[in-house]
Amino acid sequence: MTIYSAGYLALHVPLRFAMVYLLLGVIIMSRRAAGVTRSHVAVAVAAYLTSALVVAYGLGWVTWWSATTGERVVRYALLFTCAFWAGTVLRQTGHARLFFRIYLLWSTVMSALATVEFALNRNLVDRSDFVSRLERDGHLRAALLSEHPIVLSALLLVALPAAMRLGRVSWRLSTGTLLLAGIYCTQSRGALVAGLVYLVVQLLTDRSWQGATRSRSLLVPATVLMVAAIAVGLLISPPGIEATVTSSDGAQSSVEYRGVLYSLISESLSARPLGWGFAGLPHGVYLIPSPVGVLDVADTVDSELVLLVFEYGLIGLGLFVLVASLCVDRVVRASDVPNDAFALLVFVSLFLAIHAWTGVGALAFILLSCAVHGGRQRPTGAPIRSDGVSDPAHG
């Protein structure tokens, strides 16, 4: 629930610290449920964080730690580290199934509320903090309590593998359709295309729909089909990817702006092979004229790949390629709910800077850890559980 409410909660609580505490709680409870009674490291981190916050409040440092460099330190050193740790524990203790069942439950609720918000064409909760981002072509884009409509679409998309591979077969299609409806209401075309293709691929390869056929033999061509269809879906978006912004139409200018971002990759690598550093791209470096005025690229970088290149140059590019390679390997060799969810999120990162956001960023590191620790392929004769999550004994 915290992941879905990150945008609203950030206005009222120190969100990143709160999420660190929640992740430490997940780690401790998962380990104890698995019979591990000692969690000294998690308790020590929680105690250290508490004392640090007390000191920070006492010395008046909280404002500094809530912005720019300080915020990034908290995000990388605490939040994302604990999220990766939580994903490791979920895999090792076999609680990934429970995690995704709970996540699917919240996702279906949020998808239904997103549909209501879109139908009413008004916010169910006041979001005056970024109201200008919530409209496209005069219609409200569903955001609910999330950090952005595109972030909400990514969170709903990640739940789709759980919808299609957990629970009763008779509910899978209806649950998946509900999630797709919620994604549609965010007006994120990339996430919608990815969701539709994934839904079709699962219906073609799921044994429960195909009887005794060896559906896994279709997995590789189905994966290729998914990637190809998504790529075509992006490329045919009007008016096509161009390195300029000429339209005042919301959907069209969004495509053009992402074309500008990708056109800057080679220029940025040439000028700054190691990137601009931890603080990111400075303001005023890349200014793009548009019908609505001059756009500073530093204000909005809608791509994880581009953001990594801006921040860390060739190292960032290498990291993205490494993660994408891990994603393909897991989908082909060890497809299950966490790995499929990770693959969908990696695709979303082409038009969403994942690590720039708190909620979806933390979820990304949980899924990354699950993928890293979930790569062993099941023996041929091993039983396959109907929930779609690998048994911990087999990876």
Side-chain angles (χ1 to χ4, degrees), residues 22-375:
L22 289 174
L23 289 168
L24 291 173
V26 169
I27 292 168
I28 293 172
M29 288 188 293
S30 296
R31 287 172 61 85
R32 289 184 176 178
V36 180
T37 57
R38 296 182 179 181
S39 300
H40 296 326
V41 177
V43 173
V45 171
Y48 172 78
L49 182 59
T50 301
S51 61
L53 279 175
V54 171
V55 173
Y57 271 102
L59 297 180
W61 292 348
V62 173
T63 301
W64 182 84
W65 280 96
S66 301
T68 60
T69 303
E71 182 273 331
R72 292 173 184 268
V73 170
V74 174
R75 191 191 307 168
Y76 285 110
L78 285 175
L79 178 59
F80 292 165
T81 301
C82 288
F84 190 90
W85 185 11
T88 302
V89 171
L90 289 172
R91 273 293 198 188
Q92 292 176 344
T93 60
H95 286 98
R97 174 188 179 186
L98 177 61
F99 173 83
F100 275 97
R101 284 191 178 279
I102 295 173
Y103 185 79
L104 176 60
L105 174 62
W106 280 112
S107 298
T108 53
V109 172
M110 290 300 172
S111 187
L113 291 175
T115 305
V116 172
E117 186 171 83
F118 185 78
L120 295 177
N121 199 27
R122 65 177 179 85
N123 299 116
L124 297 181
V125 178
D126 177 41
R127 294 309 307 272
S128 55
D129 53 310
F130 68 162
V131 66
S132 61
R133 306 182 190 178
L134 297 180
E135 289 190 2
R136 173 169 289 177
D137 301 328
H139 200 287
L140 181 77
R141 302 175 66 186
L144 298 177
L145 303 176
S146 67
E147 297 166 285
H148 192 277
I150 300 179
V151 171
L152 178 59
S153 72
L155 295 174
L156 295 175
L157 182 64
V158 166
L160 196 56
M164 297 305 297
R165 302 182 69 163
L166 297 178
R168 298 180 181 179
V169 176
S170 58
W171 292 357
R172 294 180 185 178
L173 186 57
S174 58
T175 306
T177 302
L178 175 60
L179 291 174
L180 289 178
I183 294 172
Y184 171 81
C185 294
T186 67
Q187 297 293 282
S188 174
R189 292 164 299 173
L192 181 62
V193 172
L196 286 170
V197 175
Y198 181 82
L199 183 68
V200 172
V201 169
Q202 283 301 307
L203 292 178
L204 291 174
T205 61
D206 195 335
R207 291 184 180 184
S208 59
W209 295 84
Q210 295 292 319
T213 59
R214 294 187 60 82
S215 59
R216 283 188 65 84
S217 63
L218 298 174
L219 185 57
V220 174
T223 303
V224 174
L225 172 64
M226 178 179 179
V227 174
I230 291 171
V232 171
L234 289 177
L235 291 174
I236 65 175
S237 299
I241 296 179
E242 300 178 5
T244 182
V245 177
T246 59
S247 175
S248 58
D249 175 74
Q252 187 170 318
S253 63
S254 176
V255 174
E256 292 178 341
Y257 183 75
R258 289 194 176 91
V260 171
L261 289 180
Y262 279 95
S263 71
L264 293 174
I265 289 179
S266 60
E267 182 179 342
S268 180
L269 289 175
S270 299
R272 306 281 296 203
L274 296 180
W276 294 92
F278 192 64
L281 179 69
H283 288 278
V285 176
Y286 298 121
L287 301 177
I288 310 299
S290 76
V292 296
V294 177
L295 304 175
D296 192 331
V297 172
D299 291 329
T300 306
V301 183
D302 291 331
S303 168
E304 180 71 11
L305 170 59
V306 178
L307 184 59
L308 285 173
V309 169
F310 284 162
E311 291 181 345
Y312 308 114
L314 292 170
I315 297 175
L317 178 62
L319 287 173
F320 187 87
V321 172
L322 182 63
V323 170
S325 301
L326 174 66
C327 156
V328 173
D329 175 80
R330 293 304 184 254
V331 169
V332 173
R333 293 201 310 114
S335 177
D336 63 3
V337 171
N339 287 340
D340 286 6
F342 175 64
L344 290 172
L345 194 58
V346 168
F347 169 75
V348 170
S349 72
L350 294 175
F351 51 86
L352 177 66
I354 301 293
H355 80 270
W357 303 94
T358 301
V360 72
L363 178 62
F365 274 82
I366 292 175
L367 297 179
L368 173 62
S369 181
C370 286
V372 169
H373 295 92

